[in-house]
Structure formats: C-alpha cells, structure tokens
Amino acid sequence: MRSVGGDGVGHVLQYAFADDRGNVILTAFARSLSPVAMLAPPLPEDLGVEPLDPEAFEYLMTRICGGATLVAYHRVLQGGLLPYSAVSTAAGMECAWRRFQQVARRRGVRLSRGETLTLGDCLEKAGLPPLDSEDAAVRALAIRALWRWMED
C-alpha cells in the first residue's frame, strides 16, 4: 500500500494485492479516517477515481483476505492499515522484510546490522528488477517476486 494524500475528509491510501500466480487481484484507493490525514499532503488533482469509503473497503478486504496468507513488507505497519475484520479472517501474515534478512544471510548476501532495508534495497541485493513506480500494484508484484526469490 502507499499513501496518496489527504483531502480534509480522511487519508487516502492505495492498496493492492497480488496472488501467488502474479495476478494483481485488487488495486483500490480507500479513505482512512486516520488522524494522520491532517499531516498528509493534498490529494493529486489527477486521482481519477473517488476513494472507497471505509465500509465498502472493509467489505472488499474481508473478501480478499479471508483465509489467505498475506505477505507484506513490514507486516506490522501494513497489517495495521487494514481493517481489523480483514486481518482477523486471514490465515496468517508474513513479513518479507524480516524473512529477507534471514534468507539473505544464509545465501551470503552481506547485510550490516544497522542497515535499514527498503523494498528497493532488498530487490537489488537479490538481483531482481528495481521498482520503477511507487504504485501499490507494482509494489505488490515486487514483494511477490522477492518472496519467490526467498522460496527458491
């Protein structure tokens, strides 16, 4: 997911989910009633779609996440931005960032203890294509590629 901005009503986030076959099964803009909205930059004028309201988004997320194992980059942060009902119906939640640190060390990838690893850093260290967009769907596919690299 990514922060898109605020519009005075709420904080707008873009969410995206890719399945294990590499299909983007959902990308949506949704309004969160988070207090962070006051700090968010204004929404871009070219958003092109009205963000979903929290109730409609919660319904979609519960359908998408129900029974699925979710893989996110920084699981706690990302999971905290999903509706509770969606997280509670998921089969589990994995953290690609944490797993990368374990797998990379076993594969001889040099990591320093204090190094902050972005998704882009992990992709580079794994020899995978770099992120070419901040779009949530592109990020979801990149997390999937990183997870597959760790499984091989």
Side-chain angles (χ1 to χ4, degrees), residues 23-46:
N23 300 308
V24 175
I25 57 173
L26 174 82
T27 183
F29 293 91
R31 188 173 279 114
S32 166
L33 301 178
S34 149
V36 174
M38 295 181 298
L39 304 173
L43 282 177
E45 291 182 21
D46 64 346

Side-chain angles (χ1 to χ4, degrees), residues 1-2 14-19 22-29 119 131-145:
M1 62 193 73
R2 73 172 169 132
Q14 181 193 13
Y15 294 82
F17 293 83
D19 67 13
N23 300 308
V24 175
I25 57 173
L26 174 82
T27 183
F29 293 91
L119 177 57
L131 282 172
D132 60 0
S133 169
E134 285 301 311
D135 184 84
V138 172
R139 291 182 61 82
L141 290 169
I143 291 167
R144 177 195 174 272

Side-chain angles (χ1 to χ4, degrees), residues 4 14 26 29 48 61 74 82 86 105 121 131-132:
V4 178
Q14 181 193 13
L26 174 82
F29 293 91
M61 289 301 88
H74 294 305
L82 289 171
R105 285 190 178 98
D121 296 334
L131 282 172
D132 60 0

Side-chain angles (χ1 to χ4, degrees), residues 54-131:
E55 295 79 22
F57 180 65
E58 183 173 357
Y59 173 77
L60 279 174
M61 289 301 88
T62 303
R63 302 276 316 246
I64 295 287
C65 298
T69 298
L70 306 176
V71 176
Y73 195 85
H74 294 305
R75 153 186 86 181
V76 174
L77 171 65
Q78 303 300 319
L81 294 172
L82 289 171
Y84 174 76
S85 60
V87 175
S88 67
T89 60
M93 192 148 191
E94 300 285 344
C95 181
W97 172 74
R98 185 165 302 200
R99 184 162 183 224
F100 178 80
Q101 292 178 63
Q102 298 164 348
V103 172
R105 285 190 178 98
R106 281 197 310 261
R107 291 191 179 184
V109 175
R110 299 193 40 90
L111 304 174
S112 70
R113 290 249 181 243
E115 185 176 16
T116 303
L117 294 170
T118 65
L119 177 57
D121 296 334
C122 293
L123 294 170
E124 180 183 342
K125 290 178 183 296
L128 295 169
L131 282 172

